[in-house]
Amino acid sequence: MAKGKYEQWLTPERLKLLEKWAKQGLTDREIAGKIGINVKTLYDWKNKYSNFSNALKKGKDYYDDEVEDALYKSTQGYYVEEEVTEISQYGDGKKQIKKKTVKRYIPPSTTAIIYWLQNRRGDRWKTRASEAQEKQIEINRKRLELEEQKQEDNW
């Protein structure tokens, strides 16, 4: 009896490859394409084979942690080292080129701070848009109630 295609992806070597792809940020659809299967089949395999699912989760968790750390870092501000080139020209026409490393401060990102607070402290940092959406939802509910009453009462 021939082995199913899934079985070749349950070997330690192939599970490491899945983890690597997930760690690189590939989507489930892209991973399915690399395996040569439909994305629905990938979802089936994730549900049926825990070691398959765990390999993908482990890789994605690593990538997600990296992104989370970068977002946090951008809310705090940080220093980077950059190499700059200085060109000096002297009176006799000669040029001198110097390369040096400098530290540059990247200030906190207001956008990152707002995003962080809205997601981590949503109870205190709601946006006006979400409040307006909630009010619109309530208005729509009342309209539906009135429409139902109108139909029941044959207005």
Side-chain angles (χ1 to χ4, degrees), residues 86-102:
E86 292 179 347
I87 301 173
S88 303
Q89 188 164 357
Y90 297 102
D92 59 0
K94 291 185 179 179
K95 292 181 181 177
Q96 181 182 16
I97 299 173
K98 281 187 189 176
K99 290 187 178 189
K100 66 179 184 177
T101 302
V102 295

Side-chain angles (χ1 to χ4, degrees), residues 21-75:
W21 288 341
K23 195 179 280 190
Q24 291 171 341
L26 271 65
T27 64
D28 284 348
R29 184 172 304 284
E30 292 168 328
I31 291 170
K34 283 185 168 283
I35 293 173
I37 59 173
N38 185 293
V39 72
K40 284 186 175 188
T41 303
L42 180 90
Y43 296 145
D44 288 342
W45 290 5
K46 284 169 66 172
N47 289 328
K48 288 180 185 174
Y49 310 109
S50 61
N51 49 352
F52 186 89
S53 178
N54 290 339
L56 292 172
K57 183 176 178 355
K58 187 175 177 185
K60 288 179 180 184
D61 284 348
Y62 173 84
Y63 187 73
D64 291 345
D65 290 345
E66 290 291 311
V67 171
E68 186 177 325
D69 291 345
L71 175 63
Y72 177 76
K73 185 177 174 183
S74 68
T75 67

Side-chain angles (χ1 to χ4, degrees), residues 1-14 37 45 49 51:
M1 182 180 273
K3 275 188 170 184
K5 188 168 189 172
Y6 71 90
E7 289 178 336
Q8 62 186 298
W9 287 97
L10 299 178
T11 65
E13 299 82 25
R14 291 288 179 100
I37 59 173
W45 290 5
Y49 310 109
N51 49 352

Side-chain angles (χ1 to χ4, degrees), residues 143 145-155:
R143 282 184 183 159
E145 288 173 13
L146 288 173
E147 283 295 322
E148 288 172 0
Q149 286 177 357
K150 186 177 174 182
Q151 288 177 0
E152 289 171 5
D153 295 340
N154 292 324
W155 282 11

Side-chain angles (χ1 to χ4, degrees), residues 14-26:
R14 291 288 179 100
L15 291 171
K16 278 286 184 198
L17 183 57
L18 289 171
E19 184 181 328
K20 177 183 171 188
W21 288 341
K23 195 179 280 190
Q24 291 171 341
L26 271 65

